[in-house]
Amino acid sequence: MGTGYNGKIARINLTTGEITTETLDLELAKRFIGGRGLGTKILYDEGVAKVGPLSPENKLIYITGPMTGTKAPTAGRYMVVTKSPLTGMIASSNSGGKWGGKLKYAGWDALIVEGRAEKLSYINVEDEKIEILDAQRYEGMMSEKLDEELKKVHPSCSVLNIGPAGEHQALLAAIMNDKDRAAGRSGVGAVMGSKNLKAITVSAQRTVIPAADEEALKAAFEDCLKLIRENGVTGGGLPTYGTAVLVNIINNTGSFPTRNWQESYFEQADDTSGETLKEKYLVKNAACHRCPIACGRVVKVGDKVVGGPEYEPLWAYGGNCGVNDLNAIDEANMWCNEYGLDAISTPCTIAAAMELYDKGIITEEECEGMPLAWGSAAAIVEWTKRMGEGRGKLARLMADGSYRLCEYYQHPEISMSVKKQEMPAYDARGIQGIGITYATSNRGGCHVRGYMISPEVLGLPEQLDRTSVEGKAKWCMIFQDLTAVIDSMGLCLFSSFALGAPNYAALLNAGTGTSYTPEELLVAGERIYNLERLFNKAAGMRPEDDRLPKRLMEEPIQNGPSKGQRSRIDVTLPEYYKVRGWENAFPTEETLKRLGLEA
Amino acid sequence: MSKFGLQTVLSEAYGLEGVLFAGWLFGSLCLHSEKRMRGFAGQEAGMIEVRLFATFREGRKKIYQMDAEGLEKASDVLDLLQIPREEVAIYLINGRHSSVEDKIQDGDVLAIFPPVGGG
Ligand code: SF4
């Protein structure tokens, strides 16, 4: 009988070359579930909150959940948990593909990477065996090429790597795996670069993870699969159009930030929509490990067949830069994957630079032959490449994100970021609840920490009025806590369009032998969310870091169906702290006690 | 400037007849622009715009300009386009979530979606 966990963690010190095997504390694992929750617990307990994010003292945790690699639907996810060099706070970046499942099959729940290698290196995991190998011949290599090269050396492996952006420690650098899947956010690729670690290859013989109760897991799996297949979103919308289908709906609610959030309705949005992508560029769908949804897109860029853009880059390179050339967006997105850049923050930083240029703050001369003009398809492609290569002063500045860029030009108000990380594709003036998610996300500007778009726009599980503030704080908290559970289990957040807390509890209990009720599972999620907050507090977070950019409160939406609306975060934030049991942005003693997190 | 303010200014300049004419003209302009303001698409008066998305585009057009006359509710539009009601997941009138039984008026922009999601 299994437990869903392997019971084993590898600690790899790149400074000394020492590799040790540690036994997983099963009780602790069950309490913090795994993935995002357990990773945060380890990082917090080991005092990483106070270290320099790009110093050898920072730790990089690659961690799976108890569901990763099991038969549960969408069970292919892993998390990268570390201290972010972009935000200075917790980073936990999630990715799909095959790599996470492989790591689990190889017999490991997590790899904890410490120190800094003297020379560019990579880690090779083959079941039990772990070795640190020389990677100097791969220096400067693009992500996809490196994937192919490493497969020549380790034929059946799955590859995780950084591109040139991670090597030069750009703060927007992502970690890529299986070519086009990304642990994209918060600069986790820069941390990998700072450790001189170019890649991790994983091969495994085994293909099963023993569960605590195989029969119960099979039954829970079948229930979930049925729900996923019957659900209009996971069984229809996502497989047919991918996440890109959101372009038109968000634009039609007038909440599609345009030209760096100066407007919120993009006349040409349909040119960049999921519908147009399908009609003109789609080659086929792609799926992560054991996923029945298959929302991934494979598209044609010139004569190359590559991973296609998600909704976020379609928006960020599209409407947010005023660009309606879908081919150019596909190409720019491809360069993000090749150089290993965050495909949300990179285009959002280009959008901020375009506003700076438009206002005459960035000069023609600084653009070195490629003006940062609104709507320029050539500019989004060229500046992505420059940022990836770190070519030129302005591009290097931009590769560290819009916050640092706009600070440099003394116009911090132009950076549309929270905790120095760029906000994604939904205007919090037109959709009130998502503003709470943005403001309070522990990893900075982010939509997937509490996807309020689901009830506020998509009507799942029920339709809320997007313009109202009523009850949104509580909704947001529940979404945040449930998401923490899903991320910790090793499942994909998209499963939650069809599944609810009772389904997740059934899967987890069958897999690990726990006996969580749905309510207790939400409390486990709450515990994780509060622990991340404690990490941030130890890292120096201040209450005023839970803020939205001024533009959202002070400049009403200029055009489209949400014209005139502003964010009411002044009302929702105090309410949110109240429902969370927080004071001044941090949990009270009483809350910590209730969650068993007291010092 | 309020309508009253404008009439006062005009009456000083053009006398009573002119004011009455200007008042009528201004009033109808206001009405007209109000109609246009309702929808954000700026279509012609007396018309509604129906936008279809995702699978609803299969075998249909992306956008229909329809004469508003005789169309009371969204369900009338769905019937006209032969879209089964149960297939509609999201239905917006001028960007606001609405029910297919809600009244529509000229100038409205309707956006109709099957179940969709993403992140
Ligand atoms: S829904 Fe999409 S992102 Fe999630 S696991 Fe499936 S293919 Fe991957």
Side-chain angles (χ1 to χ4, degrees):
Chain A
M1 193 181 87
T3 61
Y5 303 95
N6 283 313
K8 251 173 32 184
I9 292 176
R11 192 177 290 269
I12 303 158
N13 189 313
L14 292 174
T15 308
T16 62
E18 200 182 349
I19 301 168
T20 47
T21 302
E22 295 175 6
T23 308
L24 177 75
D25 177 342
L26 212 58
E27 283 318 302
L28 194 76
K30 287 179 179 176
R31 215 163 116 70
F32 289 92
I33 303 174
R36 179 175 150 197
L38 186 60
T40 305
K41 177 68 180 158
I42 297 171
L43 207 66
Y44 183 68
D45 286 354
E46 296 191 6
V48 176
K50 295 202 187 300
V51 309
L54 295 175
S55 74
E57 286 71 43
N58 195 5
K59 302 185 187 196
L60 254 175
I61 305 181
Y62 303 83
I63 186 162
T64 62
M67 288 294 122
T68 311
T70 66
K71 293 198 184 84
T74 79
R77 316 291 300 190
Y78 74 94
M79 248 20 233
V80 179
V81 186
T82 188
K83 182 171 178 182
S84 163
L86 183 71
T87 65
M89 297 181 205
I90 189 86
S92 46
S93 264
N94 184 288
S95 182
K98 316 278 177 209
W99 191 88
K102 274 266 169 74
L103 181 66
K104 194 81 179 283
Y105 292 148
W108 305 98
D109 293 312
L111 307 177
I112 303 176
V113 177
E114 310 177 336
R116 171 184 286 152
E118 209 173 298
K119 298 174 193 144
L120 194 64
S121 306
Y122 75 102
I123 295 170
N124 177 46
V125 180
E126 281 171 26
D127 296 310
E128 290 291 287
K129 186 180 90 182
I130 298 183
E131 54 192 347
I132 303 168
L133 300 172
D134 188 276
Q136 287 179 95
R137 64 189 175 286
Y138 303 127
E139 194 183 321
M141 195 175 275
M142 298 292 237
S143 177
E144 193 173 318
K145 172 104 175 111
L146 180 60
D147 194 292
E148 285 159 9
E149 289 299 312
L150 285 168
K151 280 204 174 92
K152 289 182 192 158
V153 187
H154 311 283
S156 63
C157 77
S158 185
V159 181
L160 169 153
N161 66 27
I162 52 170
E167 279 184 61
H168 66 76
Q169 297 176 38
L171 300 189
L172 299 188
I175 291 177
M176 306 301 301
N177 64 278
D178 305 296
K179 291 192 177 170
D180 50 34
R181 287 281 149 185
R185 305 224 69 196
S186 312
V188 291
V191 180
M192 201 160 152
S194 77
K195 302 204 168 305
N196 257 328
L197 180 61
K198 180 74 173 159
I200 306 179
T201 50
V202 181
S203 324
Q205 302 281 332
R206 193 172 57 144
T207 53
V208 271
I209 301 296
D213 184 340
E214 297 289 355
E215 281 302 299
L217 185 62
K218 190 160 173 265
F221 161 73
E222 274 162 13
D223 287 347
C224 292
L225 196 62
K226 190 160 176 280
L227 289 169
I228 286 174
R229 293 228 163 101
E230 284 171 0
N231 181 279
V233 174
T234 51
L238 271 176
T240 315
Y241 295 102
T243 58
V245 75
L246 287 174
V247 169
N248 276 323
I249 175 155
I250 303 302
N251 194 46
N252 272 276
T253 60
S255 306
F256 192 74
T258 301
R259 294 179 189 89
N260 201 36
W261 302 66
Q262 295 186 97
E263 300 154 60
S264 210
Y265 178 73
F266 185 45
E267 292 286 350
Q268 294 123 313
D270 201 15
D271 297 347
T272 65
S273 68
E275 290 90 333
T276 306
L277 187 79
K278 180 167 186 278
E279 195 185 309
K280 294 198 175 151
Y281 300 100
L282 186 71
V283 177
K284 60 176 183 185
N285 289 13
C288 302
H289 175 96
R290 289 249 159 95
C291 180
I293 303 172
C295 75
R297 308 285 93 180
V298 175
V299 299
K300 241 186 146 126
V301 174
D303 51 7
K304 283 186 90 178
V305 173
V306 297
E310 301 287 339
Y311 168 58
E312 294 295 335
L314 277 170
W315 155 77
Y317 278 120
N320 208 31
C321 289
V323 170
N324 72 331
D325 181 335
L326 187 51
N327 194 45
I329 297 172
D330 285 348
E331 187 182 345
N333 182 70
M334 177 190 83
W335 290 121
C336 278
N337 290 346
E338 285 285 27
Y339 285 103
L341 284 167
D342 177 352
I344 299 179
S345 284
T346 300
C348 287
T349 302
I350 295 175
M354 284 178 165
E355 188 175 342
L356 290 168
Y357 174 78
D358 187 52
K359 297 200 154 124
I361 300 159
I362 287 180
T363 62
E364 191 78 47
E365 210 186 340
E366 286 173 290
C367 293
E368 297 183 60
M370 181 53 75
L372 282 154
W374 291 126
S376 167
I380 61 169
V381 173
E382 174 64 12
W383 281 97
T384 301
K385 291 202 231 170
R386 289 184 185 182
M387 287 165 76
E389 286 162 28
R391 174 160 42 100
K393 185 176 168 221
L394 180 56
R396 277 198 301 278
L397 200 56
M398 287 166 66
D400 283 344
S402 68
Y403 178 84
R404 288 164 176 87
L405 174 78
C406 296
E407 278 274 294
Y408 176 85
Y409 286 103
Q410 297 175 358
H411 282 277
E413 76 286 355
I414 288 176
S415 169
M416 299 309 287
S417 61
V418 179
K419 300 184 178 71
K420 305 182 188 170
Q421 174 161 280
E422 289 68 22
M423 291 184 299
Y426 312 89
D427 198 320
R429 291 169 289 194
I431 308 169
Q432 293 295 330
I434 197 72
I436 314 172
T437 300
Y438 292 163
T440 63
S441 156
N442 287 317
R443 70 165 183 176
C446 168
H447 57 306
V448 288
R449 281 299 175 270
Y451 192 60
M452 288 296 288
I453 302 310
S454 205
E456 295 189 280
V457 178
L458 306 174
L460 299 168
E462 63 183 82
Q463 187 70 59
L464 305 181
D465 178 354
R466 65 182 170 83
T467 63
S468 157
V469 295
E470 197 74 34
K472 293 286 173 71
K474 180 82 187 172
W475 270 91
C476 181
M477 172 179 152
I478 293 170
F479 266 69
Q480 287 175 333
D481 293 347
L482 185 63
T483 303
V485 169
I486 299 168
D487 285 345
S488 301
M489 286 174 68
L491 300 178
C492 177
L493 182 60
F494 294 166
S495 62
S496 66
F497 288 121
L499 311 180
N503 304 107
Y504 294 114
L507 286 168
L508 187 64
N509 293 340
T512 64
T514 47
S515 50
Y516 279 113
T517 64
E519 294 74 27
E520 286 165 351
L521 199 56
L522 277 176
V523 175
E526 188 184 357
R527 186 175 297 121
I528 293 164
Y529 210 86
N530 276 267
L531 182 65
E532 288 178 335
R533 185 57 48 140
L534 290 183
F535 182 97
N536 283 357
K537 191 177 182 189
M541 183 196 148
R542 304 153 306 162
E544 57 267 34
D545 293 325
D546 269 355
R547 289 292 179 273
L548 296 177
K550 269 209 301 233
R551 178 166 285 171
L552 300 192
M553 283 80 72
E554 294 176 4
E555 296 173 26
I557 291 180
Q558 295 296 313
N559 66 340
S562 291
K563 190 173 172 186
Q565 289 185 38
R566 286 180 297 125
S567 167
R568 299 306 317 278
I569 194 76
D570 55 323
V571 177
T572 49
L573 192 64
E575 218 174 291
Y576 172 85
Y577 289 155
K578 213 161 125 202
V579 295
R580 272 245 175 258
W582 291 2
E583 256 164 35
N584 241 345
F586 297 107
T588 60
E589 279 304 313
E590 207 183 321
T591 300
L592 292 179
K593 215 162 151 198
R594 179 171 58 80
L595 297 170
L597 286 175
E598 65 271 49
Chain B
M1 186 190 290
S2 73
K3 194 170 162 185
F4 180 71
L6 181 72
Q7 280 189 346
T8 315
V9 172
L10 286 171
S11 95
E12 274 164 21
Y14 297 107
L16 191 63
E17 251 179 50
V19 172
L20 286 177
F21 174 70
W24 171 82
L25 183 69
F26 189 74
S28 59
L29 272 177
C30 280
L31 254 174
H32 186 65
S33 63
E34 204 180 290
K35 273 181 204 162
R36 292 179 62 110
M37 288 276 292
R38 282 194 49 77
F40 48 92
Q43 70 272 35
E44 277 174 44
M47 303 293 277
I48 59 163
E49 181 170 312
V50 182
R51 300 177 178 184
L52 300 183
F53 298 97
T55 45
F56 290 156
R57 287 182 174 180
E58 286 164 16
R60 299 185 189 90
K61 292 201 297 180
K62 292 180 189 176
I63 297 182
Y64 292 86
Q65 303 288 344
M66 292 181 178
D67 195 325
E69 209 158 304
L71 295 174
E72 243 182 76
K73 300 179 282 189
S75 50
D76 299 334
V77 175
L78 295 180
D79 290 346
L80 210 64
L81 295 172
Q82 295 183 310
I83 297 174
R85 266 161 243 206
E86 62 279 6
E87 285 181 18
V88 176
I90 299 163
Y91 166 65
L92 307 172
I93 303 183
N94 303 326
R96 300 296 289 261
H97 289 77
S98 309
S99 131
V100 291
E101 298 308 324
D102 285 349
K103 287 245 179 316
I104 47 178
Q105 318 178 21
D106 56 339
D108 280 348
V109 176
L110 316 191
I112 309 174
F113 298 81
V116 288

Short mmCIF file of all heavy atoms in Angstrom, two decimals, chain A residues 107 329 478 576:
data_model
loop_
_atom_site.label_atom_id
_atom_site.label_comp_id
_atom_site.label_asym_id
_atom_site.label_seq_id
_atom_site.Cartn_x
_atom_site.Cartn_y
_atom_site.Cartn_z
N GLY A 107 11.17 8.46 -8.19
CA GLY A 107 11.26 8.10 -6.78
C GLY A 107 11.44 9.26 -5.82
O GLY A 107 11.67 9.06 -4.63
N ILE A 329 2.45 38.01 -32.50
CA ILE A 329 2.27 37.60 -31.11
C ILE A 329 2.75 36.15 -30.93
O ILE A 329 3.46 35.83 -29.97
CB ILE A 329 0.80 37.74 -30.66
CG1 ILE A 329 0.37 39.22 -30.73
CG2 ILE A 329 0.60 37.20 -29.25
CD1 ILE A 329 -1.12 39.45 -30.50
N ILE A 478 -12.07 32.12 -0.33
CA ILE A 478 -12.34 30.70 -0.61
C ILE A 478 -11.59 30.25 -1.87
O ILE A 478 -10.97 29.19 -1.90
CB ILE A 478 -13.86 30.45 -0.76
CG1 ILE A 478 -14.54 30.69 0.60
CG2 ILE A 478 -14.15 29.05 -1.27
CD1 ILE A 478 -16.06 30.70 0.55
N TYR A 576 -11.69 42.13 3.37
CA TYR A 576 -10.88 40.91 3.17
C TYR A 576 -10.05 40.59 4.41
O TYR A 576 -10.01 39.46 4.87
CB TYR A 576 -9.99 41.10 1.94
CG TYR A 576 -8.98 39.99 1.73
CD1 TYR A 576 -9.33 38.83 1.04
CD2 TYR A 576 -7.68 40.11 2.20
CE1 TYR A 576 -8.41 37.81 0.84
CE2 TYR A 576 -6.75 39.09 2.01
CZ TYR A 576 -7.12 37.94 1.33
OH TYR A 576 -6.20 36.94 1.14
#
